[in-house]
Amino acid sequence: DSGVTQTPKHLITATGQRVTLRCSPRSGDLSVYWYQQSLDQGLQFLIQYYNGEERAKGNILERFSAQQFPDLHSELNLSSLELGDSALYFCASEGARGYTFGSGTRLTVV
Amino acid sequence: AQSVTQLDSHVSVSEGTPVLLRCNYSSSYSPSLFWYVQHPNKGLQLLLKYTSAATLVKGINGFEAEFKKSETSFHLTKPSAHMSDAAEYFCVVSDRRGGSYIPTFGRGTSLIVHP
C-alpha cells in the first residue's frame, strides 16, 4: 500500500457519460498530480493541485476538470466520454521522498 | 522546457546478467530525476531519486543510477537480473515549470528477463 488511495479501481461506462475519479493523497502531502496512461501516449500529465488550488495544467482536455477539497482529497471529472478516453488514470502526491502514486483507476469507455 | 528520452523501448536480458536501461534528459534548470517501475497491472513504484546530493544513487532491489551532467544521462543499472525484475521502467524528470515542479515521464522501457 503506497498510502495514495484511488477509487474506483475499475470503471466501465458508455460514450457520452460522465464519471468522477477520486484520489486521497498520503497523509501530510498537500500536492496532488493527475496522469493519464494510454498505450499510444504513455503517461501524460493532466493537472496539479496544491492545498486546494490549481498549480499547473498539462494536456488536459476541456471535457475534463478536477478539484482538490479542504481535506486534500482530489476528484477528476471526465465528461462527454469518448472511446479514446479509455485509459489508466493515476494520481500521485508529493512528499519528501518524491512522488507516490496510487494504483490507478482503469476506465473503459464502451 | 523539460524532456526525457528513454533510448530503448525494450531490453531483453538473461537471468543473472547485468541490466542497463538508458535515459537522457533535457532541462532548463537543475532537475530532480527519478526511476519508477510498473509491474503488470500494478501502480508505479519509486526505485530511486537523484537530487544533486551524490551522482551515484542507490535504489531498492539492487538498482542504481548514475547522474552524468556532461552527458545529460541518468542510466539505470543492476548487476544481476532476476526474473521478478521483468516490468516497465520509467525515467522521470521533475523540472520547474512556472511556480511548480512537474514530473515528466519517458515513454518507458520494457525489461524482459529470460530464464
Side-chain angles (χ1 to χ4, degrees):
Chain A
D1 181 13
S2 69
V4 176
T5 304
Q6 288 189 250
T7 57
K9 291 194 184 305
H10 302 276
L11 201 48
I12 301 175
T13 190
T15 54
Q17 295 298 305
R18 173 190 169 94
V19 297
T20 297
L21 313 183
R22 183 188 169 102
C23 170
S24 294
R26 282 184 4 143
S27 178
D29 290 352
L30 301 178
S31 223
V32 170
Y33 300 77
W34 284 98
Y35 286 82
Q36 179 192 59
Q37 185 179 32
S38 60
L39 282 174
D40 54 341
Q41 296 291 324
L43 269 149
Q44 295 287 315
F45 166 67
L46 295 178
I47 197 164
Q48 180 211 2
Y49 277 82
Y50 180 86
N51 202 21
E53 293 191 2
E54 181 186 305
R55 274 289 179 92
K57 261 187 174 179
N59 302 323
I60 189 165
L61 300 172
E62 285 194 13
R63 300 183 285 109
F64 295 1
S65 65
Q67 54 185 327
Q68 187 179 27
F69 295 86
D71 67 352
L72 300 178
H73 91 270
S74 178
E75 293 181 357
L76 180 67
N77 301 297
L78 315 177
S79 61
S80 303
L81 284 167
E82 302 174 359
L83 295 178
D85 297 327
S86 295
L88 195 51
Y89 291 85
F90 285 107
C91 77
S93 70
E94 183 182 5
R97 284 188 66 236
Y99 305 94
T100 302
F101 285 80
S103 56
T105 293
R106 183 170 294 282
L107 173 67
T108 304
V109 183
V110 298
Chain B
Q2 58 187 6
S3 71
V4 56
T5 303
Q6 293 184 242
L7 299 168
D8 307 291
S9 59
H10 296 85
V11 169
S12 183
V13 301
S14 297
E15 191 175 20
T17 64
V19 176
L20 170 64
L21 305 183
R22 298 182 296 165
C23 173
N24 286 109
Y25 71 93
S26 66
S27 175
S28 306
Y29 301 87
S30 288
S32 292
L33 294 159
F34 309 79
W35 277 97
Y36 282 83
V37 61
Q38 185 178 28
H39 287 92
N41 300 313
K42 299 283 187 183
L44 293 149
Q45 181 184 19
L46 177 67
L47 279 178
L48 50 82
K49 170 186 177 183
Y50 167 78
T51 54
S52 78
T55 57
L56 186 62
V57 183
K58 292 191 183 299
I60 62 171
N61 301 335
F63 284 95
E64 62 182 37
E66 186 172 8
F67 173 73
K68 292 187 176 179
K69 187 174 181 179
S70 61
E71 299 176 9
T72 59
S73 69
F74 189 58
H75 301 335
L76 182 70
T77 60
K78 183 173 181 177
S80 176
H82 192 273
M83 294 297 292
S84 61
D85 294 328
E88 191 81 13
Y89 291 79
F90 294 94
C91 183
V92 179
V93 59
S94 176
D95 200 5
R96 192 176 179 91
R97 186 192 297 184
S100 204
Y101 286 90
I102 302 300
T104 299
F105 281 74
R107 290 303 303 266
T109 298
S110 179
L111 177 63
I112 301 158
V113 183
H114 299 285

